Amino acid sequence: MLNNGNKANCGFEDIMVSYIYDEIATAERRKFETHLVDCSVCTDEFAEISNARFSVFEWQKEEFTHLPTPGIVIPYASKRRVVEETVPVGFMAGLRGLLSSAGMPAMGAAALLVCLGVGFAAFMFIRRSDDSFASNVKIEDLKSTPVITVDNPDQVVAVPQLSEIAPTVPLKNITPVEPASRPVKALEQRRSRPNRQITAERSLVNESINQRAPRLDKAPVLSSYDDNVDKSLRLSDLFDDGIGGRR
Amino acid sequence: MFINLSDEQLVELAVSEDSDAFGEIVRRWERKIFALCFGMLGREDDARDAAQEAFIAAYRNIGNFRGEAKVSSWLHRIAVNQCLTTKRRQKSRAEDFLDDENGEQERTFVASPHLSPAKTTEKAERMTLVRQAVGALPSDLKQVIVMKEFEEMTFQEISETLELPLSTVKSRLYTALKHLRMKLERTPVEVV
């Protein structure tokens, strides 16, 4: 025996408890077991502590383990009522509470919805702006704008560009005639540049255009043009920007 | 929905009037708090009432939870205080089970079918003895041994819950077992 029967403290109390409850490292376990072999005092102490522990363990197993968990009832309603009476909740406070309780996913979803809404509103605004710009130059407006035709092919006539025509700005020094369709009129105006000589071919074109019934209500259809008669008419001419396109 | 949330996160939600979050806290801890109360008080009905009162007190005071301690520590403190209040109330009404030396009060005991009547009686008497011995322990020692045996917590968990060093927890448990040993040795169980 290491301590000669003396109930002196060997300093293994903490290790003894850890050993009893099997919460001990392997090295410490071996150390304690080695000590037990050589120390009868600690061995007796260990036996008594183990017996006491087992009694409590047995008591817990016999009288507690089979007991059902009691159903805990919390009076939530009364507390909520008190809170509602004392703390007025506005829309923003309620929204904040909703977002804070729902957590990050709800906030992310809300932010995404806001971004989509703003983007959609911007898109609609831009589209409406384009439509209003396009609608500013309407056929009805063009009707009021006089179309210039050239009777004398040698005569150089200055005709204002379509882009220069504003719906409310009247054209000056222009002989009003029957309104033509928009693309025809545009074609006419694009072709007629200041100081530009109009050829005989153009005059024929003009005559044929003038003889056609004006399309007042709807946009011209490409298929209605007879390519054999009016070879110079091209789709690209309708969108001639003055850079090139005439052949 | 709340399974992945920590106890502290659930308390935050409960503070903002989310009763479902507190319900999850109750679900997680009701068995352990009931075990603690049973170990402290020794009787099922007292333990049930004490656990109920402890959770109600926790819900009412949840706004005062600062988050400085763990939720387990906070609940244990409330439960132990509730058990001590219950014991004081019982003492004032002279209904303390420590006075019931003969075990005349109703006990919950399930006899094993394979034991003889003599053995069953012996076992019942031993259980009564153990119950009384644990009840007689000082509060700090009793709490540690109840948390270890009834709540089945590890030393580390007890250390964190009670905010005590690990060595202190082991030392208290050793001292509690020594007290129990002395008490059980002094009162031998008569074998019929």
Side-chain angles (χ1 to χ4, degrees):
Chain A
M1 275 186 294
L2 285 179
N3 58 359
N4 297 323
N6 185 7
K7 291 211 171 199
N9 188 358
C10 295
F12 280 95
E13 291 83 13
D14 290 359
I15 296 178
M16 189 180 295
V17 169
S18 300
Y19 187 89
I20 287 172
Y21 286 98
D22 198 21
E23 290 185 36
I24 189 169
T26 307
E28 276 191 333
R29 179 192 300 275
R30 287 184 189 149
K31 181 181 172 184
F32 180 68
E33 290 171 349
T34 304
H35 176 75
L36 283 183
V37 170
D38 298 326
C39 181
S40 60
V41 173
C42 287
T43 303
D44 293 340
E45 183 82 0
F46 174 70
E48 291 168 356
I49 297 297
S50 297
N51 190 33
R53 187 257 162 159
F54 182 76
S55 299
V56 179
F57 173 79
E58 201 177 25
W59 172 47
Q60 185 267 343
K61 279 283 180 278
E62 290 292 335
E63 293 198 4
F64 175 75
T65 303
H66 65 276
L67 294 179
T69 304
I72 305 294
V73 178
I74 306 294
Y76 295 117
S78 57
K79 186 173 181 184
R80 274 216 197 101
R81 212 177 296 122
V82 171
V83 173
E84 284 169 359
E85 286 170 1
T86 56
V87 180
V89 179
F91 171 74
M92 290 309 295
L95 184 63
R96 253 184 261 117
L98 174 68
L99 291 176
S100 63
S101 63
M104 290 305 292
M107 293 177 69
L112 182 64
L113 282 173
V114 168
C115 291
L116 287 173
V118 169
F120 181 73
F123 172 73
M124 293 302 294
F125 176 76
I126 292 169
R127 192 176 174 184
R128 204 171 281 175
S129 301
D130 288 342
D131 288 344
S132 65
F133 177 75
S135 64
N136 284 342
V137 186
K138 295 179 184 174
I139 293 177
E140 292 71 18
D141 295 332
L142 292 176
K143 285 183 213 176
S144 61
T145 308
V147 177
I148 301 162
T149 57
V150 179
D151 297 324
N152 186 356
D154 295 329
Q155 182 181 3
V156 175
V157 178
V159 177
Q161 299 280 339
L162 176 64
S163 59
E164 296 171 4
I165 298 174
T168 57
V169 178
L171 295 174
K172 298 179 182 177
N173 301 324
I174 295 170
T175 305
V177 294
E178 283 293 321
S181 60
R182 189 196 305 182
V184 174
K185 173 179 176 291
L187 176 65
E188 290 267 345
Q189 291 170 350
R190 279 195 216 102
R191 287 178 181 166
S192 302
R193 300 281 190 259
N195 299 324
R196 190 175 288 168
Q197 201 165 8
I198 301 175
T199 60
E201 189 181 349
R202 292 290 177 210
S203 64
L204 287 175
V205 168
N206 292 337
E207 285 176 7
S208 65
I209 289 172
N210 291 334
Q211 288 168 4
R212 284 193 194 126
R215 296 175 195 271
L216 302 178
D217 298 327
K218 55 182 179 180
V221 181
L222 289 176
S223 59
S224 63
Y225 289 104
D226 187 353
D227 288 338
N228 293 325
V229 173
D230 187 8
K231 291 181 181 176
S232 62
L233 276 177
R234 296 287 181 270
L235 182 62
S236 59
D237 290 332
L238 298 177
F239 303 99
D240 183 16
D241 56 358
I243 299 173
R246 264 202 297 159
R247 296 176 190 174
Chain B
M1 178 183 173
F2 300 111
I3 290 175
N4 297 327
L5 297 180
S6 68
D7 291 341
E8 287 70 24
Q9 289 171 325
L10 288 173
V11 167
E12 278 184 28
L13 291 174
V15 169
S16 57
E17 297 302 310
D18 190 338
S19 59
D20 292 338
F22 191 80
E24 176 64 18
I25 293 175
V26 172
R27 193 192 64 80
R28 288 182 187 182
W29 288 98
E30 58 184 349
R31 184 70 186 179
K32 289 199 170 184
I33 297 298
F34 176 54
L36 174 68
C37 294
F38 185 91
M40 297 286 287
L41 298 171
R43 292 183 59 181
E44 181 192 358
D45 49 354
D46 290 343
R48 200 183 320 116
D49 294 341
Q52 172 77 38
E53 291 294 329
F55 278 108
I56 291 175
Y59 182 69
R60 286 188 180 142
N61 294 294
I62 200 162
N64 299 331
F65 181 72
R66 301 273 179 251
E68 297 161 351
K70 296 181 72 173
V71 173
S72 58
S73 306
W74 178 63
L75 288 174
H76 275 92
R77 205 172 305 132
I78 294 174
V80 167
N81 288 338
Q82 187 60 47
C83 291
L84 295 176
T85 302
T86 302
K87 287 196 78 175
R88 279 195 293 269
R89 214 182 294 153
Q90 287 175 346
K91 263 187 180 175
S92 65
R93 286 181 296 184
E95 288 180 10
D96 191 354
F97 72 88
L98 291 173
D99 296 333
D100 183 23
E101 294 290 339
N102 298 325
E104 292 172 350
Q105 291 188 19
E106 185 182 347
R107 298 282 181 262
T108 304
F109 181 74
V110 178
S112 302
H114 59 276
L115 288 179
S116 65
K119 287 285 185 184
T120 303
T121 305
E122 177 192 342
K123 201 166 189 180
E125 288 178 355
R126 191 162 65 242
M127 295 300 104
T128 302
L129 197 64
V130 173
R131 190 186 318 113
Q132 291 174 353
V134 172
L137 285 173
S139 176
D140 55 344
L141 300 182
K142 189 193 307 182
Q143 187 174 356
V144 172
I145 199 166
V146 166
M147 289 171 76
K148 195 78 187 92
E149 292 292 343
F150 283 80
E151 292 190 69
E152 298 177 354
M153 299 171 72
T154 64
F155 288 119
Q156 186 62 38
E157 289 170 344
I158 297 173
S159 169
E160 291 171 1
T161 300
L162 298 180
E163 296 174 352
L164 294 172
L166 199 61
S167 58
T168 305
V169 173
K170 292 181 181 180
S171 172
R172 286 190 183 182
L173 189 59
Y174 177 81
T175 307
L177 291 172
K178 278 192 74 175
H179 276 73
L180 285 175
R181 184 203 67 186
M182 286 163 30
K183 181 81 175 168
L184 293 173
E185 282 179 352
R186 281 184 202 151
T187 315
V189 176
E190 290 183 6
V191 177
V192 177

